[in-house]
């Protein structure tokens, strides 16, 4: 087993065997072991180490990044913290380095700038963090400070602030030019309006514009993909067919379609043709939802065997999205009856903005993958559900799913 990475970095550096810090989902094994650090933009994405350790958010750049990499990243922990600054992140270096993960994804924060930190201090803190991480043998992908609104609380409201952001971003770029363990993800340029220095319309979901919506998350994920692509490989083999490792026993034609709440005007097919020309996709073609939050769902029969409490499971599904106008989420929800938790690939929690971005064109065979997650106490059965969730009553969607998989990693041996 090996991982291909940049010249000069040993392949052993991006593999790990066990998570030094105990978090649900810190399962060792095949794939590049990753932790994410940063502020609320990172932390609210969910995943291991957060309060929603079994779920990924559609606001998470990591969700979209890992889809682009077809599930090649094995998340050990999401260490993003709301309000984090570069100064406070520096104080957490011993915690960060306690995790056995070879790849660090760091989306730099604008909180220091918004709080009035001095440029010299921000540069010193950034240098210290990068020196410590690379000195410990980590491969660091650093995302530039993304744009913010230029008015309102927490914004970049002065020319000096805007210039400071550019100075810190340039420092990161120059640092990477001189250190073969650091690569830069341009999370600034694709998201900024050149006319105003505000985020482009639709990038952020809040006012003032600070936190990304689904489109912003995709833009940031694409930037990390460009920086990381070709440096990791050997995705976890999540495509087993049938027992004993894959808990899903029936094909999509045997799944049951229903409207979980409200009604959906929809035409569905389990033999739809995808962009690859193969007719083995489940296509949900919805033209109207009766209410916000209405769910069109396809459910697999209840699974009562093949797993035990404590086993590490992980779910994945191939998705093509031709359009999803004001749809809140495209989700593979693995319902864990009895525990009160659901394992999810792209959940809608904290949703306040639809996925309008996807209406601009098809996404080709993305693989959305859940965290590796320990089956919690109390779980009596598992029900896999493919879901499209409405954000508005006028929502429309044309979405295809294929090869939903739930791997029991404990049985599979990784």
């Amino acid at each position: 087993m090996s991982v291909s990475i940049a010249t000069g970095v040993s392949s052993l550096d991006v593999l790990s065997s066990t998570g030094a810090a105990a978090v649900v989902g810190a399962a060792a094994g095949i794939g590049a072991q990753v932790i994410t650090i940063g502020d609320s933009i990172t932390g609210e994405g969910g995943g291991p180490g957060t309060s929603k350790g079994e779920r990924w958010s559609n606001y998470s750049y990591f969700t979209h990044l890992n889809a682009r990499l077809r599930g090649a990243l094995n998340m050990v922990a999401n260490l993003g913290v709301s309000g984090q600054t570069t100064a406070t992140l520096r104080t957490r270096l011993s915690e960060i380095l306690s995790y056995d993960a070879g790849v660090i994804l760091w989306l730099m924060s604008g909180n220091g700038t918004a709080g009035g930190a001095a440029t010299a201090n921000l540069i010193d803190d950034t240098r210290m963090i990068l020196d410590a991480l690379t000195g410990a043998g980590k491969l660091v992908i650093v995302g530039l400070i993304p744009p913010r609104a230029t008015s309102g609380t927490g914004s970049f409201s002065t020319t000096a602030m805007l210039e400071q952001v550019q100075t810190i971003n340039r420092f990161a770029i120059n640092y990477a030019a001189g250190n073969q363990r650091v690569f830069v993800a341009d999370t600034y340029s694709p998201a900024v309006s050149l006319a105003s220095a505000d985020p482009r319309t639709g990038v952020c979901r809040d006012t003032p514009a600070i936190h990304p919506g689904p489109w912003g998350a995709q833009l940031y994920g694409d930037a990390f993909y460009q920086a990381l692509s070709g440096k990791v490989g050997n995705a976890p083999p999540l495509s087993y067919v049938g027992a004993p490792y894959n808990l899903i026993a029936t094909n999509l034609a045997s799944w049951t379609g229903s409207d979980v709440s409200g009604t959906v005007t929809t035409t569905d097919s389990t033999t739809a043709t995808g962009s690859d020309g193969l007719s083995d996709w489940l296509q949900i073609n919805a033209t109207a939802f009766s209410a916000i939050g209405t769910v069109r769902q396809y459910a697999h029969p209840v699974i009562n065997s093949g797993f035990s409490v404590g086993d590490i499971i992980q779910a994945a599904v191939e998705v093509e999205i031709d359009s999803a106008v004001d749809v809140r989420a495209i989700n593979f929800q693995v319902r864990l009856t009895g525990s009160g938790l659901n394992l999810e690939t792209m959940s809608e929690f904290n949703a306040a903005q639809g996925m309008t971005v996807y209406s601009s064109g098809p996404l080709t065979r993305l693989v959305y993958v859940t965290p590796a997650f320990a089956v919690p106490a109390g779980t009596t059965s598992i029900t896999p559900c493919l879901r499209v969730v409405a954000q508005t009553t006028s929502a429309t969607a044309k979405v295809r799913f294929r090869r939903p998989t739930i791997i029991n990693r404990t049985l599979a041996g990784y």
Side-chain angles (χ1 to χ4, degrees), residues 241-264:
V241 177
Y245 307 137
N246 184 5
L247 301 183
I248 292 181
T250 61
N251 60 35
L252 287 169
S254 302
W255 292 41
T256 302
S258 65
D259 297 342
V260 174
S261 62
T263 59
V264 184

Side-chain angles (χ1 to χ4, degrees), residues 1 12-23 25-35 74-77 96-102 138 409 414:
M1 178 176 64
L12 295 177
D13 290 331
V14 296
L15 291 173
S16 66
S17 54
T18 58
V23 294
I30 300 171
Q33 307 290 72
V34 174
I35 63 173
N74 193 46
M75 173 66 81
V76 174
I96 293 168
L97 292 174
S98 72
Y99 288 84
D100 191 5
K138 308 301 184 182
R409 290 181 55 161
Y414 72 95

